[in-house]
mmCIF file of all heavy atoms in Angstrom:
data_model
loop_
_atom_site.group_PDB
_atom_site.id
_atom_site.type_symbol
_atom_site.label_atom_id
_atom_site.label_comp_id
_atom_site.label_asym_id
_atom_site.label_seq_id
_atom_site.Cartn_x
_atom_site.Cartn_y
_atom_site.Cartn_z
ATOM 1 N N ALA T 31 -11.976 -15.363 8.765
ATOM 2 C CA ALA T 31 -10.965 -14.861 9.696
ATOM 3 C C ALA T 31 -11.213 -13.394 10.031
ATOM 4 O O ALA T 31 -11.052 -12.970 11.184
ATOM 5 C CB ALA T 31 -9.569 -15.045 9.108
ATOM 6 N N LEU T 32 -11.618 -12.614 9.031
ATOM 7 C CA LEU T 32 -11.905 -11.207 9.277
ATOM 8 C C LEU T 32 -13.089 -11.064 10.236
ATOM 9 O O LEU T 32 -13.080 -10.203 11.124
ATOM 10 C CB LEU T 32 -12.188 -10.485 7.957
ATOM 11 C CG LEU T 32 -12.530 -8.994 8.069
ATOM 12 C CD1 LEU T 32 -11.411 -8.229 8.780
ATOM 13 C CD2 LEU T 32 -12.780 -8.405 6.679
ATOM 14 N N LYS T 33 -14.092 -11.919 10.087
ATOM 15 C CA LYS T 33 -15.245 -11.883 10.998
ATOM 16 C C LYS T 33 -14.802 -12.178 12.426
ATOM 17 O O LYS T 33 -15.264 -11.546 13.382
ATOM 18 C CB LYS T 33 -16.300 -12.900 10.555
ATOM 19 C CG LYS T 33 -17.028 -12.527 9.271
ATOM 20 C CD LYS T 33 -18.020 -13.606 8.863
ATOM 21 C CE LYS T 33 -18.694 -13.254 7.537
ATOM 22 N NZ LYS T 33 -19.615 -14.352 7.087
ATOM 23 N N ARG T 34 -13.893 -13.136 12.600
ATOM 24 C CA ARG T 34 -13.401 -13.468 13.943
ATOM 25 C C ARG T 34 -12.612 -12.315 14.534
ATOM 26 O O ARG T 34 -12.718 -12.025 15.723
ATOM 27 C CB ARG T 34 -12.541 -14.736 13.885
ATOM 28 C CG ARG T 34 -13.339 -15.999 13.625
ATOM 29 C CD ARG T 34 -12.518 -17.265 13.798
ATOM 30 N NE ARG T 34 -11.587 -17.466 12.691
ATOM 31 C CZ ARG T 34 -10.274 -17.480 12.815
ATOM 32 N NH1 ARG T 34 -9.705 -17.296 13.994
ATOM 33 N NH2 ARG T 34 -9.508 -17.690 11.763
ATOM 34 N N LEU T 35 -11.838 -11.637 13.691
ATOM 35 C CA LEU T 35 -11.068 -10.495 14.171
ATOM 36 C C LEU T 35 -11.989 -9.353 14.567
ATOM 37 O O LEU T 35 -11.753 -8.662 15.568
ATOM 38 C CB LEU T 35 -10.086 -10.039 13.082
ATOM 39 C CG LEU T 35 -9.066 -8.972 13.485
ATOM 40 C CD1 LEU T 35 -8.194 -9.455 14.638
ATOM 41 C CD2 LEU T 35 -8.198 -8.599 12.279
ATOM 42 N N ARG T 36 -13.061 -9.145 13.795
ATOM 43 C CA ARG T 36 -14.014 -8.076 14.108
ATOM 44 C C ARG T 36 -14.711 -8.328 15.445
ATOM 45 O O ARG T 36 -15.147 -7.383 16.109
ATOM 46 C CB ARG T 36 -15.061 -7.955 12.996
ATOM 47 C CG ARG T 36 -14.551 -7.272 11.747
ATOM 48 C CD ARG T 36 -15.696 -6.747 10.926
ATOM 49 N NE ARG T 36 -15.259 -6.135 9.686
ATOM 50 C CZ ARG T 36 -14.764 -4.912 9.574
ATOM 51 N NH1 ARG T 36 -14.612 -4.167 10.659
ATOM 52 N NH2 ARG T 36 -14.411 -4.426 8.398
ATOM 53 N N ALA T 37 -14.853 -9.570 15.837
ATOM 54 C CA ALA T 37 -15.523 -9.894 17.097
ATOM 55 C C ALA T 37 -14.646 -9.557 18.307
ATOM 56 O O ALA T 37 -15.133 -9.525 19.437
ATOM 57 C CB ALA T 37 -15.893 -11.371 17.127
ATOM 58 N N ALA T 38 -13.360 -9.289 18.062
ATOM 59 C CA ALA T 38 -12.443 -8.912 19.137
ATOM 60 C C ALA T 38 -12.504 -7.396 19.353
ATOM 61 O O ALA T 38 -13.035 -6.648 18.532
ATOM 62 C CB ALA T 38 -11.023 -9.343 18.794
ATOM 63 N N SER T 39 -11.933 -6.948 20.444
ATOM 64 C CA SER T 39 -12.010 -5.521 20.801
ATOM 65 C C SER T 39 -10.846 -4.748 20.191
ATOM 66 O O SER T 39 -10.016 -4.167 20.908
ATOM 67 C CB SER T 39 -12.008 -5.365 22.316
ATOM 68 O OG SER T 39 -10.863 -5.994 22.866
ATOM 69 N N VAL T 40 -10.760 -4.743 18.848
ATOM 70 C CA VAL T 40 -9.707 -4.001 18.160
ATOM 71 C C VAL T 40 -10.302 -3.177 17.018
ATOM 72 O O VAL T 40 -11.338 -3.529 16.461
ATOM 73 C CB VAL T 40 -8.620 -4.938 17.582
ATOM 74 C CG1 VAL T 40 -7.839 -5.608 18.695
ATOM 75 C CG2 VAL T 40 -9.222 -5.976 16.640
ATOM 76 N N VAL T 41 -9.622 -2.084 16.708
ATOM 77 C CA VAL T 41 -9.969 -1.289 15.529
ATOM 78 C C VAL T 41 -9.244 -1.898 14.335
ATOM 79 O O VAL T 41 -8.078 -2.289 14.439
ATOM 80 C CB VAL T 41 -9.516 0.175 15.721
ATOM 81 C CG1 VAL T 41 -9.784 0.985 14.452
ATOM 82 C CG2 VAL T 41 -10.213 0.794 16.915
ATOM 83 N N ILE T 42 -9.925 -1.994 13.191
ATOM 84 C CA ILE T 42 -9.309 -2.570 11.996
ATOM 85 C C ILE T 42 -9.256 -1.505 10.897
ATOM 86 O O ILE T 42 -10.242 -0.814 10.643
ATOM 87 C CB ILE T 42 -10.095 -3.797 11.492
ATOM 88 C CG1 ILE T 42 -10.190 -4.862 12.588
ATOM 89 C CG2 ILE T 42 -9.430 -4.388 10.244
ATOM 90 C CD1 ILE T 42 -11.084 -6.033 12.226
ATOM 91 N N ARG T 43 -8.098 -1.378 10.274
ATOM 92 C CA ARG T 43 -7.950 -0.519 9.106
ATOM 93 C C ARG T 43 -7.276 -1.318 7.996
ATOM 94 O O ARG T 43 -6.408 -2.157 8.251
ATOM 95 C CB ARG T 43 -7.088 0.711 9.428
ATOM 96 C CG ARG T 43 -7.781 1.729 10.326
ATOM 97 C CD ARG T 43 -8.946 2.402 9.618
ATOM 98 N NE ARG T 43 -9.623 3.368 10.472
ATOM 99 C CZ ARG T 43 -10.641 3.096 11.262
ATOM 100 N NH1 ARG T 43 -11.108 1.853 11.321
ATOM 101 N NH2 ARG T 43 -11.208 4.041 11.989
ATOM 102 N N PHE T 44 -7.693 -1.063 6.776
ATOM 103 C CA PHE T 44 -7.141 -1.749 5.614
ATOM 104 C C PHE T 44 -6.264 -0.751 4.871
ATOM 105 O O PHE T 44 -6.733 0.305 4.442
ATOM 106 C CB PHE T 44 -8.265 -2.287 4.741
ATOM 107 C CG PHE T 44 -9.170 -3.217 5.503
ATOM 108 C CD1 PHE T 44 -10.302 -2.730 6.150
ATOM 109 C CD2 PHE T 44 -8.873 -4.562 5.615
ATOM 110 C CE1 PHE T 44 -11.120 -3.571 6.891
ATOM 111 C CE2 PHE T 44 -9.683 -5.418 6.360
ATOM 112 C CZ PHE T 44 -10.804 -4.921 7.000
ATOM 113 N N VAL T 45 -4.980 -1.064 4.786
ATOM 114 C CA VAL T 45 -4.019 -0.119 4.222
ATOM 115 C C VAL T 45 -3.384 -0.733 2.983
ATOM 116 O O VAL T 45 -2.899 -1.852 3.006
ATOM 117 C CB VAL T 45 -2.940 0.261 5.255
ATOM 118 C CG1 VAL T 45 -3.549 1.082 6.368
ATOM 119 C CG2 VAL T 45 -2.263 -0.956 5.856
ATOM 120 N N THR T 46 -3.425 0.005 1.899
ATOM 121 C CA THR T 46 -2.972 -0.568 0.638
ATOM 122 C C THR T 46 -2.195 0.431 -0.194
ATOM 123 O O THR T 46 -2.514 1.625 -0.210
ATOM 124 C CB THR T 46 -4.179 -1.090 -0.174
ATOM 125 O OG1 THR T 46 -3.727 -1.538 -1.463
ATOM 126 C CG2 THR T 46 -5.246 -0.016 -0.370
ATOM 127 N N ASN T 47 -1.195 -0.074 -0.891
ATOM 128 C CA ASN T 47 -0.430 0.723 -1.848
ATOM 129 C C ASN T 47 -1.029 0.641 -3.245
ATOM 130 O O ASN T 47 -0.470 1.215 -4.179
ATOM 131 C CB ASN T 47 1.024 0.223 -1.916
ATOM 132 C CG ASN T 47 1.943 0.971 -0.962
ATOM 133 O OD1 ASN T 47 1.546 1.953 -0.335
ATOM 134 N ND2 ASN T 47 3.172 0.513 -0.848
ATOM 135 N N THR T 48 -2.125 -0.077 -3.414
ATOM 136 C CA THR T 48 -2.644 -0.274 -4.765
ATOM 137 C C THR T 48 -2.951 1.063 -5.435
ATOM 138 O O THR T 48 -3.549 1.955 -4.838
ATOM 139 C CB THR T 48 -3.896 -1.159 -4.768
ATOM 140 O OG1 THR T 48 -4.264 -1.439 -6.129
ATOM 141 C CG2 THR T 48 -5.077 -0.492 -4.072
#
Side-chain angles (χ1 to χ4, degrees):
L32 179 57
K33 289 178 183 177
R34 289 190 286 117
L35 188 59
R36 284 201 183 280
S39 56
V40 293
V41 176
I42 302 173
R43 288 292 179 270
F44 303 92
V45 292
T46 175
N47 267 353
T48 187

